[in-house]
Amino acid sequence: MTGFGPDEFPLAIALIGCATALLALSGIPGLFLRHRPGWGQNFAAAATVVAALAGLSSAVSLLLFPDPSSWLLDWNLPFGDCEVAVDALSALFLIPVFLVSACAAVYAIGYHPAREHRDTEPGMTFFTGILAAAMVLLLMARNGVLFIMAWEAMALSAWFLLTTDRGKPEVQRAGTVYLFATHIGTMALFVLFAVLRTETGTFGFPGIRALASTGPATAIFLLALFGFGAKAGLMPLHTWLPAAHANAPSHVSALLSGVMLKMGIYGIVRVAFLFQAPPAWWDILLVVMGAMTAVLGIAFATSQRDLKRMLACSSIENIGIITLGLGLGMAGIRRGNTTLALLGVAGAFLHVLNHSLFKPLLFLGSGALIHATGTREIDRMGGLAKRMPTTALLFLVGSAAICGLPPLNGFVGEFLIYLGIFSDARGAAAPWPALLAPVLALVGGIAAIGFVKLYGIAFLGNPRSPEAATGHEAGKAMLLPMALLAILCCVVGVVPQPIIRLVEPAASSLMPWPPAPGGAIATLPSIGWLSVASGGLLALAALIALLFRRRLAAAPSAVAPTWGCGYLAPSPRVQYTGTSFSELLVNLFEGAVRPDRTPPILSGLAAGASRFRFAPTETILDRLLFPAFSVAAGVFAFIHRLQHGQMHIYMLYIFVTLFLLMIWAH
């Protein structure tokens, strides 16, 4: 590599480059320190935290003080120079990479300690570092080939991580589906960069809005939507996501869901905004796909009984909200509505950051629950709030945040999207974006039902299994990252202005108009009132809790039998289960969710014991793709039988073929 001077190698990129190298190398000592279990894992966690501090400070400084900078890597390979750069868009997406990587590395010390997992821990630590480094390199790449290399490194390291427990058939199945889906998407990206190379004459990325929306623009957009959408989990390309996130170790699930899905969103943004005047159907397609993904994703989540599978399906919903915001932003640009454009894109980006806070918090919390009870089945938990009070509180924060409830951060991103929708409704001749307000409200309502079910069944009531009855609180190494993420959820919800200032440069960089001086969104009066209302709501909740606790402590305590009403002999069997809680909602979405039910068979005057079975299914995967693959396998098996390896049989094939061709010609 040659040819870079001080101007081409600024401090911010140097720090991010050092952080990337540190992440990539963080797992190597663990491979050679097998005789000292824990040393390699502790070193990796420390290195990841140091890398995160360096990377976060650089990314934030580049957002607050924009300074476009790049580094040219002239290595004389056929695909040309490799440029790495960090603009506002890259810097924004770097924040979740560094933050969640550090939280996951510290959490792993308590959740997956090296002393108890001598066989799998070194590989897991190594590939966790590779995954984080690959994502940073992907965000910095400005050359299509370098981007694909980083993309593949990310995809393969994620596969190694999610198949850590290879002895389980469901893990192998999830890994196979993931590998198949990710490489189908990668094939689309190969074609995408080949078409882009033909159009521009270079593998280098064009600048934002640098290309005309003519020629192969539509093909490039659709290839990006397919290739990156498969990674992001957009419906109907989400088939790999629920099983992969459910079967990976919890801190890996936090990385996959909180960060890796965003790489797909980053790719869609990077390509969709390359063009100057895209046609109207582009933004409409994004809005429709986003709305469909959000509604069906949360409907799937609510029907789940598996804790981590439910969280994974909820990630699909949030990806849908982000895509919907991006579509609204593109529609605003096309319609010349500055407010809709900026608020739509900024709302989507803010939801990217918010999702990278509450979703890792929930996945890490699910790991604490699984660590304590040994099961992922919600219906086998119960009563854990008494045994795991800190985890219960932190999980409650994450659950409220993901439902978009004020005063937590999940509400703020959706609030910006609502503001954009209402701004368009006031002045546009055809305010179709206003139709999306009830869709967002519906998604929030279903999310509230789903997470009330999850929290109520898992943490409240009586224990539903012996394992839940003996559940124990997580250790400090697990609680510390969860507490950090929960605090950030609260801070961003009450004081959103600082994080909006981080989001605004990235959103403004996509706009065809010059950025508003002084921060157009953060200084909006509605944002100020939102902050006041959120702070007041939080203070009121704290005051009510304090007064209730004092009243409870002052009241005389007494023990007496339950009044009755059919509850004289309380048992976990008379409590609501997750299935019964969400039955009505599942029935409403029966056409899309399609759970597999086996009703009890009752006969005779005194019917005997019978069982009712309810199993949520992956509609597209189980009912469409797998049957199609089975048919294809049958066809190929028949073709395989034609191959005998005997020359006279092949000569017979040739003779029959020639005979048929002669008849056809005649």
Side-chain angles (χ1 to χ4, degrees):
M1 59 186 177
T2 60
F4 54 84
D7 294 339
E8 298 167 326
F9 197 62
L11 180 61
I13 288 193
L15 276 177
I16 295 175
C18 291
T20 309
L22 198 54
L23 287 173
L25 299 175
S26 62
I28 292 181
L31 299 177
F32 301 99
L33 294 173
R34 289 176 176 270
H35 59 290
R36 293 183 182 277
W39 284 34
Q41 190 179 38
N42 293 337
F43 174 85
T48 306
V49 170
V50 171
L53 291 175
L56 279 173
S57 60
S58 300
V60 171
S61 69
L62 284 171
L63 284 168
L64 294 178
F65 309 102
D67 181 21
S69 49
S70 62
W71 178 29
L72 192 64
L73 194 64
D74 182 12
W75 53 7
N76 298 323
L77 289 181
F79 47 83
D81 299 337
C82 275
E83 182 185 5
V84 293
V86 181
D87 56 9
L89 184 62
S90 299
L92 181 73
F93 280 81
L94 281 172
I95 292 176
V97 177
F98 287 117
L99 177 63
V100 181
S101 298
C103 290
V106 175
Y107 181 89
I109 296 175
Y111 175 73
H112 200 272
R115 295 181 186 282
E116 299 175 12
H117 303 85
R118 299 284 294 274
D119 295 334
T120 58
E121 184 277 330
M124 179 175 290
T125 303
F126 174 75
F127 284 112
T128 301
I130 295 294
L131 173 63
M135 289 190 287
V136 175
L137 183 60
L138 185 155
L139 293 171
M140 297 173 69
R142 294 296 179 271
N143 178 289
V145 179
L146 183 62
F147 184 94
I148 285 288
M149 292 164 67
W151 183 270
E152 272 299 280
M154 173 187 74
L156 293 178
S157 55
W159 178 79
F160 280 112
L161 288 171
L162 75 89
T163 56
T164 297
D165 200 356
R166 293 187 178 85
K168 296 181 179 178
E170 62 268 25
V171 175
Q172 294 179 357
R173 180 178 184 266
T176 303
V177 172
Y178 165 76
L179 208 58
F180 185 79
T182 193
H183 281 98
I184 290 288
T186 305
M187 287 170 60
L189 297 186
F190 272 114
V191 180
L192 160 67
F193 286 114
V195 175
L196 207 55
R197 164 74 173 78
T198 306
E199 182 70 8
T200 63
T202 173
F203 280 113
F205 281 3
I208 299 294
R209 314 184 67 77
L211 300 180
S213 305
T214 55
T218 297
I220 292 173
F221 173 72
L222 291 178
L223 285 167
L225 199 58
F226 182 84
F228 293 123
K231 182 65 72 182
L234 277 176
M235 283 194 175
L237 309 171
H238 68 288
T239 50
W240 65 274
L241 197 153
H245 289 202
N247 288 291
S250 290
H251 63 292
V252 175
S253 303
L255 266 174
L256 298 184
S257 187
V259 186
M260 195 179 77
L261 299 186
K262 312 302 187 308
M263 299 302 107
I265 294 293
Y266 170 80
I268 291 174
V269 175
R270 183 63 78 181
V271 174
F273 285 87
L274 287 178
F275 301 96
Q276 295 168 358
W281 66 267
W282 285 23
D283 53 74
I284 294 174
L285 179 61
L286 280 178
V287 166
V288 170
M289 287 190 72
M292 181 182 71
T293 303
V295 173
L296 295 183
I298 194 60
F300 286 153
T302 306
S303 69
Q304 300 297 320
R305 296 181 306 175
D306 185 312
L307 169 62
K308 291 184 67 181
R309 191 177 285 267
M310 177 180 174
L311 296 178
C313 291
S314 168
S315 291
I316 298 172
E317 169 230 340
N318 285 278
I319 290 296
I321 294 175
I322 293 167
T323 308
L324 190 150
L326 291 175
L328 285 174
M330 289 184 68
I333 293 173
R334 178 175 54 81
R335 295 156 71 97
N337 186 334
T338 312
T339 307
L340 175 63
L342 193 58
L343 288 175
V345 176
F349 286 170
L350 189 53
H351 208 72
V352 166
L353 294 184
N354 287 332
H355 186 252
S356 67
L357 296 178
F358 52 67
K359 187 45 67 76
L361 167 60
L362 290 172
F363 267 118
L364 298 184
S366 73
L369 294 180
I370 296 167
H371 196 263
T373 63
T375 180
R376 295 186 342 219
E377 288 288 330
I378 301 170
D379 289 340
R380 292 185 58 79
M381 298 180 182
L384 291 172
K386 295 177 182 176
R387 293 160 186 80
M388 307 173 68
T390 307
T391 300
L393 176 63
L394 299 176
F395 203 93
L396 180 63
V397 172
S399 300
I402 202 171
C403 293
L405 298 177
L408 296 166
N409 64 331
F411 178 73
V412 183
E414 295 186 26
F415 182 70
L416 292 188
I417 297 176
Y418 275 117
L419 282 181
I421 290 173
F422 295 143
S423 74
D424 186 78
R426 284 199 299 267
W432 62 263
L435 299 174
L436 298 171
V439 175
L440 273 179
L442 174 67
V443 171
I446 300 175
I449 293 174
F451 281 89
V452 166
K453 159 193 155 180
L454 170 58
Y455 192 85
I457 302 296
F459 287 100
L460 305 182
N462 293 321
R464 300 160 191 269
S465 66
E467 294 81 7
T470 57
H472 56 84
E473 185 59 278
K476 291 181 181 177
M478 297 168 68
L479 290 177
L480 186 62
M482 293 166 58
L484 173 63
L485 294 170
I487 290 170
L488 289 175
C489 286
C490 297
V491 170
V492 172
V494 177
V495 191
Q497 288 86 352
I499 199 162
I500 290 176
R501 292 186 190 282
L502 294 181
V503 164
E504 208 157 357
S508 297
S509 70
L510 303 179
M511 300 294 124
W513 310 290
I521 302 177
T523 56
L524 284 175
S526 51
I527 298 297
W529 282 113
L530 172 66
S531 184
V532 171
S534 298
L537 189 61
L538 196 63
L540 180 63
L543 179 64
I544 292 175
L546 182 63
L547 292 176
F548 181 75
R549 188 170 180 176
R550 284 189 176 183
R551 183 177 177 183
L552 202 63
S557 60
V559 178
T562 307
W563 176 49
C565 294
Y567 206 69
L568 280 173
S571 160
R573 292 177 61 83
V574 303
Q575 298 179 129
Y576 265 92
T577 64
T579 303
S580 57
F581 189 93
S582 58
E583 182 187 10
L584 178 61
L585 185 70
V586 172
N587 289 337
L588 288 176
F589 287 91
E590 181 79 36
V593 177
R594 297 180 68 85
D596 185 12
R597 290 189 181 89
T598 305
I601 300 175
L602 303 177
S603 61
L605 294 177
S610 186
R611 294 180 66 84
F612 170 77
R613 179 178 175 274
F614 176 93
T617 60
E618 302 295 333
T619 307
I620 295 176
L621 186 65
D622 291 336
R623 298 178 186 271
L624 294 178
L625 293 184
F626 278 153
F629 289 155
S630 297
V631 172
V635 171
F636 286 121
F638 173 75
I639 295 174
H640 180 70
R641 283 198 293 272
L642 298 177
Q643 184 179 359
H644 299 275
Q646 300 179 17
M647 185 58 69
H648 65 282
I649 298 293
Y650 294 146
M651 293 176 67
L652 179 63
Y653 291 160
I654 295 171
F655 174 76
V656 170
T657 304
L658 289 174
F659 181 73
L660 292 176
L661 287 174
M662 289 172 64
I663 293 177
W664 178 67
H666 178 71

